[in-house]
Amino acid sequence: KLCSSSLSAMEAFLQCRGVVRPPAVPSIAARPTPNRALRGRLFSADVGLGTPSRTGGVVLALGMTLAFLRRARRRQEREAAWGLPAGSRGIAQRVGQVFELFSGIGGLRTAFQQACAAKPLSPRWRAFETEKVCCQVHCEVFGSTLYDRNMKLKDLLSREFGQDEMWRCWIDKLPDEAYEGADLWLMSPPCQPFTPTGLKMDIDDKRCAALKHLCEVLPRLQAPPKALFMENVPLFAKSRARTVFVEALHKCAAAQGLHVHIKEHVLNPVDFGYPNTRERYYLSAVFDGQQGEGADDLLPEMSKQAQRPIREFCMAPSPTLREELRIPTDLLERAHAIGLTLDAATGESLQTKTFTGNYAKKAYGEQGLSIAGPVLLTEEDGWTPRGKEATCELNSAGYPLRRGVTNCRHYMAEGRCSFGTSCKCNHPEGKASVPSGRFRKVGESDWKRVRYFAPQEVLALQGFPASYSIPDWVPTKQQLMLIGNSINTHVVACLLKPILARLE
């Protein structure tokens, strides 16, 4: 390595020969230009190519060496500013700043960390979120500095980019300056305008205001992101909002003289070995100066993974949570009375329905119990996931039909049986029986042996690592709501790896 004195001497020599201009080293926050042609033009201007020189090839070689050393020095300054190991290259050079839009409880940040597990990175981070509890959880989990709405926007924009920031703000109210300078955008806009049970107003929904604002801002940015990742519900793929967003990406690329490579996916965690259905739309975009088909490099790792049963994601018994997660009997009774089927999982189940933000909310009644997420059938203790059940038919009350054996005298006399599905007797009825399976009517015999999933169990089913936990001061039902509005971090991590590889 050449020491700084040698570098200074070389610069002085070339300046005396009139080959290079005095260096104007850009600030640490300056972003390297992704356009290779433009980099070439800047490089040619630095070393004075095409100018007459008596030293000929020697001066040219020295000039090229000087340009290389300048780049190396700038890289070392960036590494020192970002707290990276000396000599680290690759992703660290290109992902120095990340914006996490609609951050929630930090699912996208967790996925980023999982994607970089083999080569940990510490980029400067700025999260944007509206909900107060989400901001507080994010700050406590990741140690971010909270900037609330009470802080003047002028003061917020005039300060330097911090190492780890959380902005509690209205995304659609921020000026363009707030979105300048990030290398990577991670975003998960509100999905309600595109869900089958919503108002289906698409981009005209007021909850799309922030996404519309970002579509307007992107083409105007002086320093737009080098890559972008988005998550939403599958119906977003056919929405007008998706069309507007993709157009904004192309306008942004054209404004910078670049090309954008876009890859869209609709993936399900079940295909990655998770026993929980959460089919989602994902968009990956990378800006660079290369033409042609570059989107194939953004395909995720899709090696087939063995299905894991529910019991592998369940936690040890918790006396505190046992009562909180018990489903109210009156709710089960009303659901049974109107014939609702529930997604009742056992320890051996290999698939369950999506957890939503309405999970475990009693206010949504028996209908919410049926559509907001799965429930867990347990053993006699009311907590441990039930083992493999024998294949049999159940009557509409949830008791076994065992034709050819003696009728249960308790059931025949009282209309109920304390032994439930384990009873060896027959429980006849005039109505058609329903098979024992994933979706079933939960009969009276199981009303004391069914519960909601615990927050840590839902986190595990959505790919979060065991080290992630929501603070205890957040009520259990609110924790379930926050997690239900989050993402499957494992699937997103698989999608982020190709993006980060393209940024090397």
Side-chain angles (χ1 to χ4, degrees):
K1 295 181 180 179
L2 291 176
C3 64
S4 58
S5 59
S6 299
L7 178 58
S8 300
M10 186 180 295
E11 289 177 337
F13 169 75
L14 292 174
Q15 290 172 27
C16 291
R17 303 295 302 177
V19 178
V20 298
R21 295 184 292 274
V25 180
S27 64
I28 294 174
R31 303 168 66 249
T33 306
N35 190 326
R36 294 190 177 187
L38 180 57
R39 285 209 303 268
R41 292 197 295 272
L42 293 176
F43 172 77
S44 300
D46 281 344
V47 300
L49 291 178
T51 59
S53 174
R54 288 175 295 176
T55 53
V58 175
V59 172
L60 176 61
L62 289 173
M64 295 176 67
T65 304
L66 174 61
F68 171 80
L69 292 173
R70 282 179 176 173
R71 290 197 299 270
R73 183 167 61 186
R74 289 197 294 268
R75 183 176 67 248
Q76 292 171 358
E77 291 174 349
R78 286 195 298 270
E79 289 169 354
W82 297 341
L84 298 169
S88 60
R89 300 178 64 88
I91 299 174
Q93 298 183 61
R94 304 294 298 276
V95 188
Q97 304 175 75
V98 179
F99 284 174
E100 183 185 11
L101 299 148
F102 315 96
S103 62
I105 58 173
L108 289 169
R109 182 167 186 173
T110 302
F112 179 89
Q113 293 174 342
Q114 291 174 321
C116 302
K119 187 178 180 180
L121 300 176
S122 299
R124 289 177 284 181
W125 202 276
R126 180 180 293 171
F128 299 80
E129 177 56 50
T130 301
E131 295 296 330
K132 181 178 180 180
V133 176
C134 288
C135 294
Q136 292 173 334
V137 170
H138 193 287
C139 290
E140 189 158 337
V141 172
F142 299 104
S144 306
T145 301
L146 178 63
Y147 295 96
D148 211 330
R149 297 171 184 165
N150 296 328
M151 187 172 182
K152 292 183 179 180
L153 185 60
K154 181 179 178 180
D155 297 335
L156 194 59
L157 296 175
S158 62
R159 47 180 297 283
E160 293 185 2
F161 198 123
Q163 183 65 28
D164 197 335
E165 301 178 353
M166 160 56 74
W167 286 20
R168 185 182 176 221
C169 59
W170 298 107
I171 292 177
D172 56 315
K173 304 297 183 184
L174 293 178
D176 295 4
E177 293 83 354
Y179 302 108
E180 295 278 6
D183 300 299
L184 175 64
W185 281 18
L186 306 175
M187 54 196 301
S188 180
C191 63
Q192 293 88 345
F194 318 105
T195 56
T197 57
L199 299 176
K200 301 178 182 179
M201 295 179 63
D202 204 318
I203 200 168
D204 297 324
D205 194 304
K206 63 180 181 181
R207 288 166 290 192
C208 259
L211 180 60
K212 289 171 63 177
H213 179 66
L214 293 175
C215 291
E216 296 168 359
V217 167
L218 267 171
R220 300 198 298 259
L221 294 179
Q222 298 300 312
K226 302 186 186 78
L228 185 146
F229 178 83
M230 173 195 275
E231 181 266 358
N232 215 292
V233 294
L235 288 179
F236 183 87
K238 300 179 180 179
S239 67
R240 289 182 289 122
R242 178 260 174 199
T243 303
V244 172
F245 184 70
V246 171
E247 288 176 355
L249 293 177
H250 285 286
K251 290 178 182 178
C252 178
Q256 299 295 319
L258 303 174
H259 299 276
V260 59
H261 304 285
I262 300 174
K263 194 68 177 179
E264 298 170 274
H265 320 267
V266 176
L267 300 175
N268 196 327
V270 174
D271 298 325
F272 293 78
Y274 286 82
N276 180 242
T277 302
R278 196 177 187 87
E279 193 175 54
R280 288 293 183 267
Y281 164 88
Y282 303 100
L283 181 145
S284 304
V286 174
F287 299 88
D288 61 28
Q290 301 177 3
Q291 296 187 19
E293 298 295 329
D296 289 341
D297 295 341
L298 301 177
L299 291 172
E301 300 175 0
M302 283 293 291
S303 56
K304 187 65 177 178
Q305 301 181 35
Q307 289 293 104
R308 299 162 60 190
I310 283 289
R311 55 179 165 78
E312 294 188 15
F313 298 85
C314 293
M315 60 185 290
S318 170
T320 306
L321 290 176
R322 180 181 275 109
E323 291 303 318
E324 285 191 72
L325 297 176
R326 187 186 299 278
I327 302 177
T329 303
D330 62 325
L331 205 59
L332 291 167
E333 186 175 354
R334 294 201 304 271
H336 183 267
I338 62 177
L340 287 178
T341 57
L342 310 183
D343 186 3
T346 66
E348 304 302 317
S349 297
L350 297 178
Q351 192 167 346
T352 53
K353 66 165 55 178
T354 305
F355 292 94
T356 71
N358 297 328
Y359 188 64
K361 285 186 177 180
K362 188 177 180 180
Y364 286 87
E366 58 276 8
Q367 294 291 341
L369 183 64
S370 177
I371 65 176
V375 296
L376 183 63
L377 293 174
T378 69
E379 299 291 357
E380 295 292 342
D381 63 358
W383 184 270
T384 307
R386 188 175 301 179
K388 188 174 182 179
E389 295 182 305
T391 302
C392 67
E393 288 184 324
L394 303 178
N395 64 21
S396 60
Y399 298 112
L401 287 165
R402 305 185 191 278
R403 298 178 180 87
V405 300
T406 307
N407 291 337
C408 175
R409 60 188 181 88
H410 298 287
Y411 175 78
M412 299 300 291
E414 303 175 10
R416 64 182 65 188
C417 175
S418 59
F419 292 99
T421 54
S422 62
C423 184
K424 303 302 181 184
C425 298
N426 184 40
H427 304 76
E429 69 166 345
K431 300 179 181 179
S433 60
V434 293
S436 174
R438 177 182 163 194
F439 294 96
R440 66 178 78 184
K441 297 177 182 177
V442 177
E444 183 181 355
S445 59
D446 287 323
W447 289 352
K448 293 185 178 180
R449 298 191 298 169
V450 61
R451 66 172 175 88
Y452 293 115
F453 283 82
Q456 284 301 121
E457 295 169 338
V458 182
L459 284 170
L461 286 167
Q462 293 186 191
F464 283 79
S467 58
Y468 184 100
S469 63
I470 296 179
D472 293 338
W473 55 262
V474 182
T476 301
K477 298 296 177 67
Q478 190 169 11
Q479 291 187 38
L480 291 169
M481 180 198 72
L482 296 175
I483 302 167
N485 288 328
S486 191
I487 64 171
N488 186 292
T489 62
H490 177 82
V491 176
V492 174
C494 291
L495 290 165
L496 288 179
K497 288 179 182 178
I499 295 177
L500 298 177
R502 284 287 296 271
L503 293 180
E504 290 184 350

